[in-house]
Amino acid sequence: ILQFFIVDAKPAIQKVELVLRWKHQFQFAGYYAALEKGYYSELGIDVEIIEGNPDASVLEMVSSGEAGFGVGNVEVLVNYLKGEPLVLLASIMQHSPSVFIVKENSSIYNPHDLVDKNVMLHTDERGYELLSMLYNEGVKPWQLNIVTHTHSINEFLANEVDALSAYITSEPYFLESYGIPYRLIKPSSYGIDFYSDCLFTNKELVEQNHDLVDDFVTASLKGWEYALHNKEEIAALIVKK
């Protein structure tokens, strides 16, 4: 007598790291939702979400295989063109949130007005969008008095810098909360319109474990769909954890 048993096979658990490009906040809501709602685990993926660190390169961590996945901006494309083994998987933000912020009472209205002004700006890969806007307008970085970025808004509030490179999702909220009038200079207004917060991995992982990569993208996008339909819940989750 032959007996057959049907057993529900659970997928083998695979552990991966996702490195964010900055501190924990709603900017990465979809990944938190995918983790908390079990979208990763139901596909057999154990995900550790690692907070971004200005002293650590997300690109290097992912390119070297130290981390499986990362969140990056246009620097992913630039380094791919330089030969780095990077693979873009999804563009979460359809427009870059990188902007210059100036005081509303300043005389700065466009990129040309930044010449000879004190500007807090990254001159490495983190500032590519804003630097591209300047070059596109015929303004060279050495025409500005570039101040090393402190990742703080204090120098801007104290009038130590005339313009601050920032994220449209972050610093403007702070300024509005305290009733501080400001003006934005956006790259998209000058023909520079990159994607942002792109999910990427390295070529070796794609070649060796394509199913894992596909499942990670599927779960992540499912998490983003949930987060955008349940903003208050995920915002509270971020604050709590």
Side-chain angles (χ1 to χ4, degrees):
I1 298 174
L2 295 177
Q3 292 181 311
F4 296 92
F5 298 93
I6 298 176
V7 179
D8 291 331
K10 293 184 178 180
I13 299 297
Q14 301 180 84
K15 184 173 177 59
V16 299
E17 297 81 24
L18 168 65
V19 186
L20 306 178
R21 66 186 318 272
W22 195 234
K23 307 296 183 180
H24 290 307
Q25 54 188 321
F26 199 87
Q27 179 182 350
F28 311 107
Y31 305 112
Y32 307 134
L35 182 65
E36 293 297 323
K37 295 299 172 181
Y39 300 154
Y40 291 127
S41 60
E42 66 188 18
L43 293 177
I45 310 174
D46 178 11
V47 179
E48 179 185 1
I49 299 177
I50 301 173
E51 189 174 61
N53 183 333
D55 297 322
S57 170
V58 179
L59 281 170
E60 289 180 7
M61 294 177 70
V62 176
S63 178
S64 67
E66 181 181 345
F69 301 91
V71 178
N73 279 6
V74 69
E75 68 269 14
V76 179
L77 172 61
V78 172
N79 281 272
Y80 168 79
L81 294 173
K82 291 179 179 179
E84 290 294 324
L86 303 171
V87 179
L88 183 65
L89 301 172
S91 297
I92 303 304
M93 294 186 185
Q94 300 304 291
H95 303 281
S96 172
S98 294
V99 295
F100 280 123
I101 298 180
V102 300
K103 296 284 183 61
E104 190 177 76
N105 61 2
S106 77
S107 60
I108 303 172
Y109 291 86
N110 57 59
H112 298 275
D113 295 334
L114 294 171
V115 173
D116 293 330
K117 298 294 193 299
N118 295 324
V119 180
M120 186 172 284
L121 167 67
H122 288 296
T123 55
D124 58 11
E125 59 197 23
R126 292 169 291 182
Y128 279 163
E129 290 101 328
L130 296 173
L131 290 169
S132 296
M133 176 184 67
L134 293 174
Y135 275 109
N136 204 44
E137 287 298 296
V139 178
K140 304 300 188 292
W142 54 84
Q143 294 179 283
L144 283 54
N145 300 322
I146 295 180
V147 178
T148 301
H149 218 302
T150 63
H151 306 104
S152 169
I153 200 170
N154 292 336
E155 290 82 0
F156 179 73
L157 295 177
N159 294 316
E160 294 174 10
V161 295
D162 302 297
L164 173 72
S165 67
Y167 250 35
I168 199 170
T169 53
S170 301
E171 285 80 359
Y173 175 80
F174 175 87
L175 295 174
E176 289 170 13
S177 298
Y178 286 88
I180 302 172
Y182 65 90
R183 189 161 47 245
L184 300 178
I185 300 176
K186 304 178 184 179
S188 59
S189 299
Y190 298 91
I192 303 297
D193 192 9
F194 293 122
Y195 292 117
S196 182
D197 281 38
C198 301
L199 178 64
F200 70 101
T201 186
N202 63 72
K203 185 178 180 181
E204 183 177 2
L205 185 59
V206 173
E207 293 175 343
Q208 294 185 355
N209 202 335
H210 195 277
D211 289 342
L212 169 64
V213 175
D214 278 352
D215 287 345
F216 188 88
V217 174
T218 297
S220 297
L221 295 182
K222 187 176 179 181
W224 270 108
E225 185 175 5
Y226 185 91
L228 294 177
H229 283 94
N230 299 273
K231 299 184 183 74
E232 295 297 331
E233 177 190 342
I234 301 304
L237 171 71
I238 294 169
V239 172
K240 181 180 178 180
K241 291 201 171 184

